Amino acid sequence: MNTINALTAITPVGSSTSDSSQRQQNQSFGKPGQFLTATVLESADKNQFYLDIQGQKILAKSDSVSLSPGAKLKLEVLATKPELELRIVSKNPEMFFGKTLTLLSKNLDISTLFQSLQTSPSPLFDKLSTLSQDGLKTFLSLQQEPLTTIDSGKNLKLLLDRLGLNLESVLARGNKNQQGAQTLKSALLEINSLLKSGSELAETTNRLLGTIELYQLANLRLSNDNLLVFPLPLPFLNHGYLLVERDSKQTPETKDTNPQRFSLHLNLEPIGNIEISFLHNSEGLYIRFLCETEEKSFFTSAQQDELKQAISSTDILGLSFGVGAGNPAQALIQQLIPDGETMLDTKV
């Protein structure tokens, strides 16, 4: 049995005019030492959020933790008087401890960083190594390339290769070639080493680094389920990623015949959240679009003729539209957390 690690405490906020009802509410959650489950419903004011505990909507606060709507929590009752005091516990905090899962929803657009490196009071760009300079220029150029040409797929692959998701494994194999040193992560690490903490540029660099590292950790966790996740650092997306299902039984002989499954989880304006699932086999491609609302699903389905014309490399065997797309970051968190376990959303 895994050891339960106490991470932080949360104290609910009660109305000053409802002391008696608050006491009754607190007593309904049992005795100190009891464990409860909760779902984060929404954020309120600073450091405050609403929890669903046993069907009751509780306003809570914490000065040391940030929680995202949809997060599942395991709570230990510390005290019921004079206030209900709870502590968040997690069975598996080691992988994401000290990280912020909200970073998963951040776009990896480096245009602001690139401009700041060249225009800050003490420009840092010229102090970087030639490899880092070239790496940043190449990444920015690929990132700004419109996905409307025949080479769009190739350019997107190059962009993902330049992120540096496999930087550590490349260096561990002793492969310190020029391409490995020209990744975005390598450049960010060099920038971070030259900056003092606390500056706006340092915070931007750390945010970008943290986002890349979280996707690396996510891939470590998802590898047990034969899944790979790739962030999509495209400026026109608020955020998004590609989730690929690997076939553990696939061999070189069956590579072209076994079905391939992958999905896009996106948030973009004006359509909001959208999930696109693909199933590709030797005969062709099945595609399913899920949107947030019926209205947005209808709008998306109206573009299907244009989509069919754009896909010419394979036959479209099925194309469907529906409702049910959720927030991409929350969908990934659900993939990362096995049933019955919890993960804490914290800020560094």
Side-chain angles (χ1 to χ4, degrees):
M1 182 175 180
N2 294 330
T3 301
I4 295 176
N5 299 274
L7 300 180
T8 189
I10 292 180
T11 304
V13 179
S15 170
S16 59
T17 61
S18 58
D19 290 342
S20 61
S21 62
Q22 181 69 35
R23 285 194 298 270
Q24 292 175 0
Q25 174 181 278
N26 292 348
Q27 292 171 359
S28 70
F29 291 116
K31 300 177 180 180
Q34 180 180 348
F35 289 95
L36 307 168
T37 58
T39 302
V40 181
L41 297 176
E42 59 183 305
S43 300
D45 294 331
K46 184 178 181 181
N47 300 327
Q48 298 184 10
F49 40 84
Y50 285 100
L51 299 176
D52 181 348
I53 304 177
Q54 297 180 355
Q56 297 190 41
K57 186 176 182 180
I58 306 298
L59 179 61
K61 70 176 180 180
S62 174
D63 295 327
S64 57
V65 63
S66 174
L67 299 171
S68 295
K72 303 291 184 180
L73 306 174
K74 185 174 183 179
L75 306 172
E76 179 186 4
V77 179
L78 296 181
T80 58
K81 297 178 181 180
E83 295 178 305
L84 175 64
E85 186 176 355
L86 306 167
R87 179 165 55 195
I88 301 176
V89 294
S90 173
K91 292 184 179 180
N92 289 295
E94 66 279 355
M95 182 171 286
F96 288 89
F97 183 76
K99 301 292 183 180
T100 168
L101 292 180
T102 57
L103 284 176
L104 290 171
S105 67
K106 301 297 183 182
N107 196 324
L108 284 162
D109 185 358
I110 70 163
S111 56
T112 300
L113 172 73
F114 193 82
Q115 183 178 7
S116 297
L117 288 171
Q118 297 178 311
T119 60
S120 60
S122 179
L124 192 66
F125 188 80
D126 292 338
K127 298 179 182 179
L128 298 176
S129 66
T130 302
L131 289 177
S132 289
Q133 290 183 19
D134 291 343
L136 288 170
K137 289 178 181 178
T138 301
F139 190 89
L140 181 63
S141 176
L142 289 169
Q143 196 171 56
Q144 303 299 322
E145 193 76 25
L147 297 180
T148 55
T149 67
I150 193 171
D151 294 325
S152 294
K154 180 181 178 180
N155 289 339
L156 180 58
K157 183 181 184 304
L158 289 173
L159 183 63
L160 294 177
D161 289 342
R162 292 282 184 165
L163 273 173
L165 293 175
N166 64 340
L167 176 63
E168 286 75 13
S169 61
V170 169
L171 296 178
R173 293 194 299 267
N175 187 358
K176 298 182 180 180
N177 57 27
Q178 181 170 331
Q179 184 176 357
Q182 284 185 327
T183 63
L184 175 60
K185 183 174 183 181
S186 178
L188 292 173
L189 288 171
E190 183 177 349
I191 295 170
N192 195 49
S193 68
L194 297 175
L195 290 172
K196 294 182 179 180
S197 60
S199 68
E200 183 176 347
L201 184 56
E203 291 180 0
T204 300
T205 303
N206 285 326
R207 178 182 63 79
L208 292 168
L209 264 176
T211 302
I212 293 174
E213 289 171 351
L214 274 171
Y215 276 103
Q216 290 179 298
L217 292 173
N219 275 315
L220 285 175
R221 181 67 176 263
L222 293 175
S223 63
N224 295 328
D225 298 322
N226 292 315
L227 295 172
L228 287 172
V229 60
F230 299 97
L232 297 175
L234 303 170
F236 62 85
L237 293 176
N238 293 335
H239 53 272
Y241 56 87
L242 169 66
L243 192 64
V244 179
E245 181 178 336
R246 297 184 298 175
D247 187 352
S248 59
K249 299 180 181 179
Q250 181 172 287
T251 64
E253 292 75 20
T254 63
K255 180 179 180 181
D256 296 328
T257 58
N258 283 7
Q260 298 174 318
R261 295 178 174 85
F262 52 98
S263 58
L264 292 169
H265 301 258
L266 314 172
N267 180 278
L268 68 162
E269 297 297 339
I271 203 168
N273 297 322
I274 184 169
E275 178 182 329
I276 312 171
S277 300
F278 302 85
L279 172 63
H280 183 256
N281 58 28
S282 58
E283 297 180 352
L285 182 66
Y286 294 89
I287 308 176
R288 182 188 67 179
F289 284 80
L290 293 181
C291 300
E292 289 182 298
T293 64
E294 290 284 357
E295 181 182 9
K296 292 178 179 179
S297 178
F298 178 79
F299 169 80
T300 304
S301 65
Q303 318 304 317
Q304 58 182 292
D305 289 339
E306 183 178 348
L307 175 64
K308 291 176 181 178
Q309 292 177 3
I311 300 177
S312 58
S313 59
T314 188
D315 293 330
I316 298 181
L317 303 177
L319 184 59
S320 62
F321 299 85
V323 177
N327 180 276
Q330 293 179 20
L332 183 55
I333 290 171
Q334 291 175 357
Q335 289 278 357
L336 296 174
I337 309 173
D339 291 340
E341 296 184 10
T342 58
M343 189 174 294
L344 180 62
D345 172 18
T346 63
K347 282 190 176 179
V348 292

